[in-house]
């Protein structure tokens, strides 16, 4: 039991660190080869921030642990809204832009409904996975078109602060980051499966809790730093983007690698909670008096309580 526990801890720490190095290396490499700031922001950062979830779920699918793959994706979505946004709002009220309420949230809701429909037959076939990846491609193409239309060609703030990196160093970090992502994910998945077997709980429960929280650590860390600096304007938009990638790319990639049978609880419990939280995000962020809304400390506390309640139910039913 000691060895699997250490594997989870070391795997998570390496996963977070290597994902950061991978994004830095990929962005610097892309700039050396003339990729526009727009594509770097959407493609590199979009995939990079979801790299832990994608790699862990891919490794899980290859190892025949579909519960971890699905639990990681949907558990990360629940963690992003209830834990990360809740905690961030508790530190400092979060601004919800009107564009998020009118455009981004409805897209996330539509994607959630479609993914739930694909799960209705209790399996994710390669066709289902292909549909999810095709939806991701359409969403990214639409995002790029929107950004070009509004002339949004600036790099994300975290990359604007990045110092110049020689091509050789950028390629080195790109390769090292990717290799460590693979290795740490393998380590994390092995430890999670062993812990699940030791306690007699399903891979799904471990994926929804330990693995989901672990792969969401980059988002949690960046949200805490942003809250302390008073820069939480983009928190909701970032979470919506992350959830879209998790729902479409993470599940889609895992399903293409290995078609998965789905436990009935995924649809009746986890996707339901994820959907309710997504709708709640709209209700909590909407303002009747102002153009933009706010998620204040009380609403943040409600989100945190819902997260604690959900995880308490998971552990109660798992025992």
């Amino acid at each position: 039991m000691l060895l699997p526990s250490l594997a989870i801890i070391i795997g998570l720490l390496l996963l977070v660190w290597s994902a950061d190095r991978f994004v830095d290396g990929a962005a610097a490499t892309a700039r050396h080869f003339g990729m526009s700031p727009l594509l770097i922001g959407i493609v590199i950062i979009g995939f990079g921030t979801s790299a832990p979830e994608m790699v862990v779920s891919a490794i899980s699918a290859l190892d025949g642990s579909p519960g971890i793959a699905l639990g990681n994706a949907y558990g990360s979505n629940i963690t992003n809204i209830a834990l990360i946004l809740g905690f961030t709002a508790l530190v400092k009220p979060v601004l919800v832009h009107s564009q998020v309420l009118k455009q981004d949230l409805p897209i996330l809701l539509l994607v959630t409904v479609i993914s739930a429909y694909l799960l209705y037959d209790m399996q994710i076939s390669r066709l289902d996975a292909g549909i999810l990846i095709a939806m991701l491609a359409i969403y990214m193409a639409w995002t790029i078109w929107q950004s070009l239309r509004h002339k949004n060609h600036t790099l994300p703030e975290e990359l604007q602060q990045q110092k110049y990196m020689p091509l050789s160093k950028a390629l080195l970090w790109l390769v090292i980051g990717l290799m460590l992502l693979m290795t740490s994910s393998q380590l994390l998945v092995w430890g999670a499966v062993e812990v699940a077997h030791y306690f007699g709980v399903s891979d799904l429960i471990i994926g929804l809790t330990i693995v989901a929280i672990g792969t969401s650590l980059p988002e949690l860390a960046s949200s805490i730093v942003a809250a302390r600096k008073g820069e939480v304007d983009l928190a909701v938009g970032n979470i919506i983007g992350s959830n879209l990638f998790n729902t479409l790319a993470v599940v889609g990639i895992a399903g293409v690698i290995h078609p998965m049978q789905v436990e009935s609880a995924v649809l009746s419990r986890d996707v339901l909670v994820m959907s309710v939280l997504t709708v709640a995000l709209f209700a909590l962020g909407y303002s009747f008096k102002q153009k933009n809304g706010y998620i204040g400390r009380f609403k943040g506390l409600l989100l945190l309580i819902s997260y604690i309640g959900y995880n308490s139910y998971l552990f109660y039913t798992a025992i």
Side-chain angles (χ1 to χ4, degrees):
M1 183 58 192
L2 177 61
L3 199 57
S5 299
L6 284 173
I8 290 176
I9 295 170
I10 295 171
L12 285 175
L13 291 173
L14 272 177
L15 190 69
V16 173
W17 186 83
S18 60
D20 205 27
R21 300 288 80 75
F22 174 75
V23 170
D24 286 346
T29 301
R31 280 191 287 191
H32 275 289
F33 285 101
M35 183 180 282
S36 70
L38 172 65
L39 289 178
I40 293 174
I42 293 174
V43 180
I44 302 296
I45 302 304
F47 274 99
T49 53
S50 292
E53 287 89 347
M54 285 191 285
V55 178
V56 166
S57 290
I59 295 293
S60 301
L62 285 169
D63 289 351
S65 302
I68 289 182
L70 288 176
N72 180 29
Y74 300 137
S76 291
N77 286 358
I78 293 168
T79 301
N80 282 343
I81 296 175
L83 175 63
I84 296 177
L85 186 59
F87 184 80
T88 304
L90 206 60
V91 174
K92 186 177 180 64
V94 175
L95 175 68
V96 183
H97 291 282
S98 59
Q99 180 185 342
V100 169
L101 295 170
K102 294 177 182 178
Q103 181 175 290
D104 301 331
L105 258 176
I107 291 174
L108 180 59
L109 277 170
L110 177 62
V111 165
T112 303
V113 169
I114 293 173
S115 64
Y117 175 76
L118 294 176
L119 288 171
Y120 194 72
D121 59 356
M122 296 295 109
Q123 65 176 347
I124 294 179
S125 64
R126 284 197 170 94
L127 176 60
D128 295 333
I131 291 172
L132 293 175
I133 291 175
M135 288 169 61
L136 175 66
I138 292 170
Y139 170 73
M140 290 190 67
W142 178 80
T143 303
I144 292 170
W145 178 75
Q146 284 285 97
S147 298
L148 287 170
R149 205 177 103 181
H150 293 97
K151 305 298 181 184
N152 182 18
H153 290 236
T154 58
L155 275 171
E157 185 179 348
E158 61 267 31
L159 290 184
Q160 289 178 10
Q161 298 171 356
Q162 187 187 62
K163 294 181 180 179
Y164 172 80
M165 188 183 297
L167 180 59
S168 57
K169 186 177 179 181
L171 289 170
L172 180 65
W173 279 126
L174 180 63
V175 173
I176 290 176
L178 184 58
M179 289 176 64
L180 284 178
L181 264 175
M182 301 292 290
T183 304
S184 58
S185 297
Q186 186 77 56
L187 195 63
L188 173 60
V189 170
W190 176 81
V193 170
E194 291 299 311
V195 168
H197 291 166
Y198 181 84
F199 285 106
V201 299
S202 68
D203 294 348
L204 176 64
I205 298 296
I206 297 297
L208 287 164
T209 53
I210 297 173
V211 178
I213 294 173
T215 54
S216 295
L217 284 176
E219 287 93 342
L220 179 59
S222 61
S223 295
I224 291 173
V225 171
R228 291 179 64 182
K229 291 181 178 179
E231 301 169 353
V232 291
D233 291 6
L234 299 177
V236 177
N238 290 340
I239 283 174
I240 290 173
S242 178
N243 283 16
L244 278 166
F245 268 93
N246 290 340
T247 305
L248 298 175
V250 175
V251 178
I253 290 171
V256 166
I257 292 172
H258 194 290
M260 297 177 283
Q261 293 297 316
V262 179
E263 294 181 30
S264 58
V266 172
L267 189 60
S268 63
R269 180 193 61 204
D270 309 315
V271 173
L272 178 62
V273 170
M274 182 177 71
S275 304
V276 169
L277 283 172
T278 305
V279 174
L281 193 55
F282 182 88
L284 293 174
Y286 188 78
S287 175
F288 289 98
K289 297 180 180 178
Q290 300 177 7
K291 184 178 179 181
N292 299 319
Y294 281 92
I295 297 177
R297 289 186 173 88
F298 177 71
K299 294 175 181 178
L301 181 61
L302 289 178
L303 289 172
L304 281 175
I305 290 172
S306 69
Y307 183 76
I308 294 169
Y310 168 72
N311 279 273
S312 299
Y313 176 78
L314 284 181
F315 284 110
Y316 176 77
T317 53
I319 296 174

